[in-house]
PDB file of all heavy atoms in Angstrom:
ATOM      1  N   LEU B  83      11.661  -7.306  27.608  1.00  0.00           N
ATOM      2  CA  LEU B  83      12.220  -8.350  26.677  1.00  0.00           C
ATOM      3  C   LEU B  83      13.383  -7.748  26.031  1.00  0.00           C
ATOM      4  O   LEU B  83      13.575  -6.644  25.510  1.00  0.00           O
ATOM      5  CB  LEU B  83      11.243  -8.636  25.576  1.00  0.00           C
ATOM      6  CG  LEU B  83       9.847  -9.357  26.066  1.00  0.00           C
ATOM      7  CD1 LEU B  83       8.960  -9.660  24.905  1.00  0.00           C
ATOM      8  CD2 LEU B  83      10.361 -10.682  26.710  1.00  0.00           C
ATOM      9  N   LYS B  84      14.602  -8.605  25.907  1.00  0.00           N
ATOM     10  CA  LYS B  84      15.766  -8.124  25.354  1.00  0.00           C
ATOM     11  C   LYS B  84      15.617  -7.621  24.062  1.00  0.00           C
ATOM     12  O   LYS B  84      15.016  -8.242  23.173  1.00  0.00           O
ATOM     13  CB  LYS B  84      16.807  -9.295  25.361  1.00  0.00           C
ATOM     14  CG  LYS B  84      18.249  -8.999  24.992  1.00  0.00           C
ATOM     15  CD  LYS B  84      19.200 -10.052  25.133  1.00  0.00           C
ATOM     16  CE  LYS B  84      20.627  -9.761  24.658  1.00  0.00           C
ATOM     17  NZ  LYS B  84      21.519 -10.887  24.772  1.00  0.00           N
ATOM     18  N   GLY B  85      16.366  -6.379  23.742  1.00  0.00           N
ATOM     19  CA  GLY B  85      16.388  -5.955  22.418  1.00  0.00           C
ATOM     20  C   GLY B  85      15.052  -5.447  21.967  1.00  0.00           C
ATOM     21  O   GLY B  85      14.636  -5.456  20.794  1.00  0.00           O
ATOM     22  N   SER B  86      14.216  -4.859  22.858  1.00  0.00           N
ATOM     23  CA  SER B  86      12.889  -4.370  22.603  1.00  0.00           C
ATOM     24  C   SER B  86      12.500  -3.267  23.521  1.00  0.00           C
ATOM     25  O   SER B  86      13.298  -2.992  24.457  1.00  0.00           O
ATOM     26  CB  SER B  86      11.849  -5.535  22.637  1.00  0.00           C
ATOM     27  OG  SER B  86      11.377  -5.794  24.074  1.00  0.00           O
ATOM     28  N   ASN B  87      11.293  -2.823  23.425  1.00  0.00           N
ATOM     29  CA  ASN B  87      10.676  -1.833  24.317  1.00  0.00           C
ATOM     30  C   ASN B  87       9.515  -2.464  25.043  1.00  0.00           C
ATOM     31  O   ASN B  87       8.696  -1.740  25.600  1.00  0.00           O
ATOM     32  CB  ASN B  87      10.241  -0.631  23.607  1.00  0.00           C
ATOM     33  CG  ASN B  87       9.060  -0.745  22.717  1.00  0.00           C
ATOM     34  OD1 ASN B  87       8.940  -1.783  22.192  1.00  0.00           O
ATOM     35  ND2 ASN B  87       8.382   0.381  22.541  1.00  0.00           N
ATOM     36  N   ILE B  88       9.386  -3.794  24.979  1.00  0.00           N
ATOM     37  CA  ILE B  88       8.201  -4.531  25.467  1.00  0.00           C
ATOM     38  C   ILE B  88       8.320  -5.061  27.027  1.00  0.00           C
ATOM     39  O   ILE B  88       9.347  -5.811  27.286  1.00  0.00           O
ATOM     40  CB  ILE B  88       7.884  -5.678  24.563  1.00  0.00           C
ATOM     41  CG1 ILE B  88       7.670  -5.067  23.120  1.00  0.00           C
ATOM     42  CG2 ILE B  88       6.650  -6.473  25.026  1.00  0.00           C
ATOM     43  CD1 ILE B  88       7.637  -6.239  22.081  1.00  0.00           C
ATOM     44  N   VAL B  89       7.439  -4.694  27.762  1.00  0.00           N
ATOM     45  CA  VAL B  89       7.353  -5.308  29.161  1.00  0.00           C
ATOM     46  C   VAL B  89       6.719  -6.562  29.146  1.00  0.00           C
ATOM     47  O   VAL B  89       5.557  -6.726  28.503  1.00  0.00           O
ATOM     48  CB  VAL B  89       6.753  -4.266  30.066  1.00  0.00           C
ATOM     49  CG1 VAL B  89       6.604  -4.857  31.539  1.00  0.00           C
ATOM     50  CG2 VAL B  89       7.467  -2.781  30.143  1.00  0.00           C
ATOM     51  N   LEU B  90       7.318  -7.524  29.826  1.00  0.00           N
ATOM     52  CA  LEU B  90       6.589  -8.844  29.931  1.00  0.00           C
ATOM     53  C   LEU B  90       5.448  -8.836  30.876  1.00  0.00           C
ATOM     54  O   LEU B  90       5.490  -8.211  31.929  1.00  0.00           O
ATOM     55  CB  LEU B  90       7.722  -9.931  30.476  1.00  0.00           C
ATOM     56  CG  LEU B  90       7.510 -11.399  30.196  1.00  0.00           C
ATOM     57  CD1 LEU B  90       7.379 -11.638  28.816  1.00  0.00           C
ATOM     58  CD2 LEU B  90       8.479 -12.326  30.984  1.00  0.00           C
ATOM     59  N   SER B  91       4.402  -9.438  30.534  1.00  0.00           N
ATOM     60  CA  SER B  91       3.109  -9.494  31.303  1.00  0.00           C
ATOM     61  C   SER B  91       2.914 -10.919  31.852  1.00  0.00           C
ATOM     62  O   SER B  91       3.474 -11.842  31.523  1.00  0.00           O
ATOM     63  CB  SER B  91       2.018  -8.948  30.581  1.00  0.00           C
ATOM     64  OG  SER B  91       1.460  -9.918  29.663  1.00  0.00           O
ATOM     65  N   LYS B  92       1.810 -11.055  32.687  1.00  0.00           N
ATOM     66  CA  LYS B  92       1.444 -12.257  33.169  1.00  0.00           C
ATOM     67  C   LYS B  92       0.808 -13.203  32.107  1.00  0.00           C
ATOM     68  O   LYS B  92       0.613 -14.308  32.345  1.00  0.00           O
ATOM     69  CB  LYS B  92       0.387 -12.057  34.291  1.00  0.00           C
ATOM     70  CG  LYS B  92      -0.836 -11.405  33.731  1.00  0.00           C
ATOM     71  CD  LYS B  92      -1.966 -11.173  34.987  1.00  0.00           C
ATOM     72  CE  LYS B  92      -3.190 -10.627  34.456  1.00  0.00           C
ATOM     73  NZ  LYS B  92      -4.086 -10.339  35.675  1.00  0.00           N
ATOM     74  N   TYR B  93       0.514 -12.558  30.951  1.00  0.00           N
ATOM     75  CA  TYR B  93      -0.098 -13.406  29.837  1.00  0.00           C
ATOM     76  C   TYR B  93       0.932 -14.042  29.077  1.00  0.00           C
ATOM     77  O   TYR B  93       0.618 -14.895  28.074  1.00  0.00           O
ATOM     78  CB  TYR B  93      -0.974 -12.473  28.931  1.00  0.00           C
ATOM     79  CG  TYR B  93      -2.160 -12.078  29.703  1.00  0.00           C
ATOM     80  CD1 TYR B  93      -2.341 -10.881  30.150  1.00  0.00           C
ATOM     81  CD2 TYR B  93      -3.305 -12.913  29.827  1.00  0.00           C
ATOM     82  CE1 TYR B  93      -3.422 -10.470  30.914  1.00  0.00           C
ATOM     83  CE2 TYR B  93      -4.524 -12.565  30.451  1.00  0.00           C
ATOM     84  CZ  TYR B  93      -4.599 -11.366  30.957  1.00  0.00           C
ATOM     85  OH  TYR B  93      -5.760 -10.928  31.578  1.00  0.00           O
ATOM     86  N   ALA B  94       2.247 -13.961  29.244  1.00  0.00           N
ATOM     87  CA  ALA B  94       3.301 -14.513  28.493  1.00  0.00           C
ATOM     88  C   ALA B  94       3.515 -15.982  28.852  1.00  0.00           C
ATOM     89  O   ALA B  94       4.523 -16.250  29.536  1.00  0.00           O
ATOM     90  CB  ALA B  94       4.553 -13.717  28.487  1.00  0.00           C
ATOM     91  N   SER B  95       2.732 -16.873  28.262  1.00  0.00           N
ATOM     92  CA  SER B  95       2.846 -18.223  28.702  1.00  0.00           C
ATOM     93  C   SER B  95       2.528 -19.057  27.361  1.00  0.00           C
ATOM     94  O   SER B  95       1.940 -18.469  26.479  1.00  0.00           O
ATOM     95  CB  SER B  95       1.995 -18.677  29.705  1.00  0.00           C
ATOM     96  OG  SER B  95       0.602 -18.476  29.442  1.00  0.00           O
ATOM     97  N   ASN B  96       3.037 -20.303  27.389  1.00  0.00           N
ATOM     98  CA  ASN B  96       2.792 -21.278  26.246  1.00  0.00           C
ATOM     99  C   ASN B  96       3.253 -20.581  24.977  1.00  0.00           C
ATOM    100  O   ASN B  96       2.576 -20.511  23.753  1.00  0.00           O
ATOM    101  CB  ASN B  96       1.313 -21.560  25.944  1.00  0.00           C
ATOM    102  CG  ASN B  96       0.697 -22.252  27.305  1.00  0.00           C
ATOM    103  OD1 ASN B  96       1.439 -23.173  27.877  1.00  0.00           O
ATOM    104  ND2 ASN B  96      -0.507 -21.900  27.724  1.00  0.00           N
ATOM    105  N   ALA B  97       4.479 -20.192  25.041  1.00  0.00           N
ATOM    106  CA  ALA B  97       4.959 -19.385  23.758  1.00  0.00           C
ATOM    107  C   ALA B  97       5.752 -20.270  22.838  1.00  0.00           C
ATOM    108  O   ALA B  97       5.925 -19.840  21.735  1.00  0.00           O
ATOM    109  CB  ALA B  97       6.058 -18.319  24.363  1.00  0.00           C
ATOM    110  N   GLN B  98       6.212 -21.369  23.196  1.00  0.00           N
ATOM    111  CA  GLN B  98       6.981 -22.235  22.410  1.00  0.00           C
ATOM    112  C   GLN B  98       6.208 -22.890  21.151  1.00  0.00           C
ATOM    113  O   GLN B  98       4.974 -23.015  21.321  1.00  0.00           O
ATOM    114  CB  GLN B  98       7.645 -23.588  23.152  1.00  0.00           C
ATOM    115  CG  GLN B  98       6.633 -24.489  23.734  1.00  0.00           C
ATOM    116  CD  GLN B  98       6.175 -24.057  25.109  1.00  0.00           C
ATOM    117  OE1 GLN B  98       6.213 -22.895  25.516  1.00  0.00           O
ATOM    118  NE2 GLN B  98       5.654 -25.080  25.814  1.00  0.00           N
ATOM    119  N   VAL B  99       6.820 -23.020  20.089  1.00  0.00           N
ATOM    120  CA  VAL B  99       6.274 -23.618  18.894  1.00  0.00           C
ATOM    121  C   VAL B  99       6.493 -25.112  18.857  1.00  0.00           C
ATOM    122  O   VAL B  99       7.666 -25.526  18.871  1.00  0.00           O
ATOM    123  CB  VAL B  99       6.750 -22.963  17.550  1.00  0.00           C
ATOM    124  CG1 VAL B  99       6.252 -23.756  16.364  1.00  0.00           C
ATOM    125  CG2 VAL B  99       6.223 -21.472  17.545  1.00  0.00           C
ATOM    126  N   ILE B 100       5.537 -25.955  18.825  1.00  0.00           N
ATOM    127  CA  ILE B 100       5.715 -27.296  18.921  1.00  0.00           C
ATOM    128  C   ILE B 100       5.238 -27.967  17.494  1.00  0.00           C
ATOM    129  O   ILE B 100       5.926 -28.838  17.010  1.00  0.00           O
ATOM    130  CB  ILE B 100       4.705 -27.998  20.043  1.00  0.00           C
ATOM    131  CG1 ILE B 100       5.050 -27.549  21.329  1.00  0.00           C
ATOM    132  CG2 ILE B 100       4.836 -29.530  19.884  1.00  0.00           C
ATOM    133  CD1 ILE B 100       4.097 -27.939  22.398  1.00  0.00           C
ATOM    134  N   GLN B 101       4.302 -27.362  16.877  1.00  0.00           N
ATOM    135  CA  GLN B 101       3.894 -27.982  15.541  1.00  0.00           C
ATOM    136  C   GLN B 101       3.471 -26.693  14.617  1.00  0.00           C
ATOM    137  O   GLN B 101       2.885 -25.594  15.137  1.00  0.00           O
ATOM    138  CB  GLN B 101       2.660 -28.734  15.746  1.00  0.00           C
ATOM    139  CG  GLN B 101       2.063 -29.322  14.568  1.00  0.00           C
ATOM    140  CD  GLN B 101       0.735 -30.171  14.711  1.00  0.00           C
ATOM    141  OE1 GLN B 101       0.221 -29.975  15.824  1.00  0.00           O
ATOM    142  NE2 GLN B 101       0.371 -30.861  13.725  1.00  0.00           N
ATOM    143  N   ALA B 102       3.972 -26.831  13.432  1.00  0.00           N
ATOM    144  CA  ALA B 102       3.682 -25.849  12.419  1.00  0.00           C
ATOM    145  C   ALA B 102       3.340 -26.428  11.080  1.00  0.00           C
ATOM    146  O   ALA B 102       3.956 -27.302  10.574  1.00  0.00           O
ATOM    147  CB  ALA B 102       4.730 -24.759  12.242  1.00  0.00           C
ATOM    148  N   GLU B 103       2.171 -25.998  10.471  1.00  0.00           N
ATOM    149  CA  GLU B 103       1.818 -26.561   9.209  1.00  0.00           C
ATOM    150  C   GLU B 103       1.135 -25.520   8.326  1.00  0.00           C
ATOM    151  O   GLU B 103       0.394 -24.683   8.709  1.00  0.00           O
ATOM    152  CB  GLU B 103       0.763 -27.729   9.346  1.00  0.00           C
ATOM    153  CG  GLU B 103      -0.446 -27.471  10.057  1.00  0.00           C
ATOM    154  CD  GLU B 103      -1.370 -28.569  10.068  1.00  0.00           C
ATOM    155  OE1 GLU B 103      -1.344 -29.523   9.439  1.00  0.00           O
ATOM    156  OE2 GLU B 103      -2.298 -28.592  10.996  1.00  0.00           O
ATOM    157  N   PHE B 104       1.344 -25.685   7.048  1.00  0.00           N
ATOM    158  CA  PHE B 104       0.743 -24.751   5.985  1.00  0.00           C
ATOM    159  C   PHE B 104      -0.662 -25.239   5.867  1.00  0.00           C
ATOM    160  O   PHE B 104      -1.017 -26.431   5.744  1.00  0.00           O
ATOM    161  CB  PHE B 104       1.506 -24.903   4.707  1.00  0.00           C
ATOM    162  CG  PHE B 104       0.773 -24.109   3.594  1.00  0.00           C
ATOM    163  CD1 PHE B 104       0.635 -22.820   3.568  1.00  0.00           C
ATOM    164  CD2 PHE B 104       0.064 -24.906   2.729  1.00  0.00           C
ATOM    165  CE1 PHE B 104       0.043 -22.040   2.495  1.00  0.00           C
ATOM    166  CE2 PHE B 104      -0.539 -24.197   1.623  1.00  0.00           C
ATOM    167  CZ  PHE B 104      -0.693 -22.826   1.521  1.00  0.00           C
TER     168      PHE B 104
END
Side-chain angles (χ1 to χ4, degrees):
L83 294 178
K84 184 178 180 180
S86 82
N87 70 333
I88 299 168
V89 177
L90 199 65
S91 79
K92 63 182 181 181
Y93 290 102
S95 61
N96 300 318
Q98 65 271 24
V99 172
I100 300 172
Q101 180 184 15
E103 60 176 338
F104 172 72

